Amino acid sequence: MKILILVFLVGIYQVTAETHSLKYFVTESSQVPDFPEFVVVGMVDDVQIVHYDGNTTEAVPKQDWMKEVIDDDPEYFKRSTNIFIKEQQTFKDNIEVLKQRFNQTGDVHIYQVMYGCEWDDETDKVNGYRQYGYDGEDFIALDLKTETWIAAEPQAVFTKQKWDNDKARTAYLKYYHTQICPEWLKKYVNYGRSSLMRKDLPSVSLLQKTSSSPVTCHATGFYPDRADLFWRKDGEELYEDVDRGKILPNHDGTFQMSVDLKISSIAPEDWKKYDCVFQLSGVKDDIITKLDKSVIRTNEGSSGFRVAAVVVGLLVLIAGITAAVKYADISGRKYKSVSPASSTSDTSTSSAEDLDPKKKISGEQEKMLKN
């Protein structure tokens, strides 16, 4: 039995300049079942490079190319482990302080910090950020331009006043985010260039359950996940009668996504006006798939499509589970409008950011101090 899936590939494409990012997510949780109380995840271009949790108490590389760091700096992960162990107690103290400030006792609570930097490899422009959150809401963030802290909650005002008065710490954080962090980001991009800079184009196919069902434009096998997939009519993107799916990971490290188009109100003679467009960050040419009945794989009269549909369905299910596990590994909970941060006690300052081998950074500076 043959399974026919039409594939549209762009053979020649051009890579453009990109903005790279280095981010660290530090999470302390309280009473979250089957999840470590303390987790640190480092990511380059949204690819996980290092992981630490309070159960294993060991910083470990998550990409093969990160082992090159060990070749150049054998003490790298040992030093990182020691930093995270110190921060673990700091974060534990902080979440207790926060619970008191919000007049809370037990239940599930999440204290989280995200910090890091971005670097444009064409203009060499850098940008840093550091932000703290509590129970899924913003708590306090650093404004690098004014070198002051922004309190997002009344309970954060005390911390803001304390940190605003610590000029030396703020000056160091500005130096870290604008100098140290970008230097390390450039090193990581260089170490993982063959992996991080690769561009994998997808196969794109049109699927349909029945002749009256929406037509699904499905793209799979692309990398990185900075991509878009949408329907157009007469060259203009459609926002009505479409249902966009999320980007999901495949088992091989690539990604997939789909977007549905309702065709019940489209006259047969107008089908030629519609097409599905796939765009990948850093790639100049789009992959365009025309809405054409002759290329649609449908359930009606095709056992082959049934098998294909089941395979796609299973891939989506598996990818969804993988994404959920990966997301939990990063934060354990939804965290909105994050930016960056590090250790956290009254607001701490250390973490994976302290991986500069020439500079030893302690993580004790961010205690939240009780009133």
Side-chain angles (χ1 to χ4, degrees):
M1 172 172 47
K2 287 186 177 181
I3 302 175
L4 299 176
I5 298 180
L6 279 169
V7 177
F8 300 82
L9 295 177
V10 175
I12 301 175
Y13 57 94
Q14 178 179 336
V15 178
T16 59
E18 286 191 25
T19 297
H20 301 280
S21 65
L22 171 60
K23 302 174 186 175
Y24 287 98
F25 297 80
V26 186
T27 303
E28 174 71 26
S29 60
S30 173
Q31 298 187 28
V32 177
D34 303 319
F35 190 77
E37 287 187 355
F38 184 74
V39 176
V40 179
V41 171
M43 307 187 77
V44 172
D45 291 351
D46 296 323
V47 174
Q48 187 176 174
I49 62 169
V50 64
H51 176 273
Y52 171 93
D53 67 60
N55 292 345
T56 62
T57 63
E58 181 181 6
V60 295
K62 301 301 288 185
Q63 300 295 323
D64 289 340
W65 53 263
M66 276 296 288
K67 294 175 184 177
E68 294 184 32
V69 178
I70 303 175
D71 295 336
D72 293 343
D73 181 8
E75 298 297 311
Y76 177 93
F77 283 99
K78 181 179 180 181
R79 186 171 58 254
S80 302
T81 295
N82 291 335
I83 291 171
F84 296 147
I85 288 175
K86 292 178 181 177
E87 284 198 339
Q88 186 169 345
Q89 184 59 51
T90 300
F91 273 71
K92 187 172 184 178
D93 294 341
N94 281 343
I95 200 170
E96 292 303 319
V97 171
L98 285 168
K99 287 163 67 174
Q100 291 183 32
R101 288 195 187 177
F102 284 87
N103 295 319
Q104 299 167 334
T105 53
D107 300 325
V108 172
H109 297 288
I110 302 288
Y111 174 48
Q112 194 169 44
V113 176
M114 189 183 90
Y115 66 92
C117 57
E118 295 178 344
W119 163 59
D120 188 308
D121 64 9
E122 184 177 67
T123 65
D124 210 33
K125 181 180 179 181
V126 298
N127 178 46
Y129 39 83
R130 174 176 293 263
Q131 183 170 327
Y132 299 75
Y134 182 63
D135 283 352
E137 301 292 334
D138 294 339
F139 183 73
I140 193 170
L142 175 61
D143 186 331
L144 285 172
K145 291 183 179 179
T146 62
E147 297 185 37
T148 58
W149 292 88
I150 301 172
E153 297 281 355
Q155 291 84 351
V157 173
F158 180 77
T159 297
K160 168 184 165 54
Q161 294 171 343
K162 176 193 170 189
W163 288 356
D164 280 346
N165 290 330
D166 193 345
K167 302 297 184 182
R169 174 175 176 267
T170 301
Y172 164 72
L173 289 178
K174 183 173 183 178
Y175 175 72
Y176 166 75
H177 286 295
T178 58
Q179 300 293 326
I180 298 177
C181 181
E183 288 177 7
W184 274 97
L185 173 55
K186 293 174 184 179
K187 290 181 183 179
Y188 293 138
V189 170
N190 186 55
Y191 282 127
R193 182 169 297 276
S194 61
S195 174
L196 295 171
M197 302 291 283
R198 84 178 200 265
K199 306 293 179 184
D200 294 347
L201 295 176
S203 62
V204 180
S205 54
L206 300 183
L207 308 173
Q208 189 180 32
K209 292 181 180 179
T210 68
S211 59
S212 60
S213 300
V215 174
T216 298
C217 182
H218 183 254
T220 185
F222 60 88
Y223 184 92
D225 62 352
R226 295 185 293 276
D228 198 9
L229 185 69
F230 55 91
W231 283 99
R232 296 187 310 189
K233 179 184 179 182
D234 293 328
E236 297 293 329
E237 182 174 355
L238 289 174
Y239 298 97
E240 296 183 359
D241 295 327
V242 295
D243 184 12
R244 300 167 67 97
K246 296 180 179 179
I247 296 179
L248 300 172
N250 290 321
H251 69 282
D252 60 358
T254 62
F255 298 90
Q256 64 170 292
M257 65 189 305
S258 62
V259 57
D260 294 345
L261 172 66
K262 296 178 182 178
I263 61 169
S264 56
S265 60
I266 302 177
E269 60 271 18
D270 290 334
W271 275 46
K272 60 181 179 295
K273 299 179 180 180
Y274 293 79
D275 53 39
C276 176
V277 181
F278 174 86
Q279 297 176 337
L280 185 65
S281 175
V283 176
K284 180 180 179 181
D285 297 314
D286 299 338
I287 299 178
I288 300 175
T289 308
K290 291 288 186 180
L291 180 60
D292 185 342
K293 286 189 177 184
S294 66
V295 303
I296 296 176
R297 298 302 300 164
T298 177
N299 254 351
E300 295 181 334
S302 173
S303 59
F305 174 79
R306 293 190 184 95
V307 176
V310 170
V311 171
V312 171
L314 287 174
L315 285 174
V316 171
L317 177 60
I318 294 170
I321 295 172
T322 303
V325 172
K326 179 180 178 181
Y327 185 71
D329 188 35
I330 294 175
S331 64
R333 158 175 194 150
K334 180 180 180 182
Y335 184 63
K336 70 176 188 178
S337 112
V338 247
S339 222
S342 132
S343 183
T344 99
S345 207
D346 189 14
T347 321
S348 151
T349 211
S350 138
S351 211
E353 69 184 2
D354 311 325
L355 298 183
D356 183 353
K358 298 179 181 178
K359 186 175 184 69
K360 182 179 179 182
I361 303 169
S362 99
E364 46 86 49
Q365 315 131 292
E366 288 193 9
K367 296 222 166 167
M368 279 183 157
L369 294 188
K370 302 176 182 177
N371 291 317

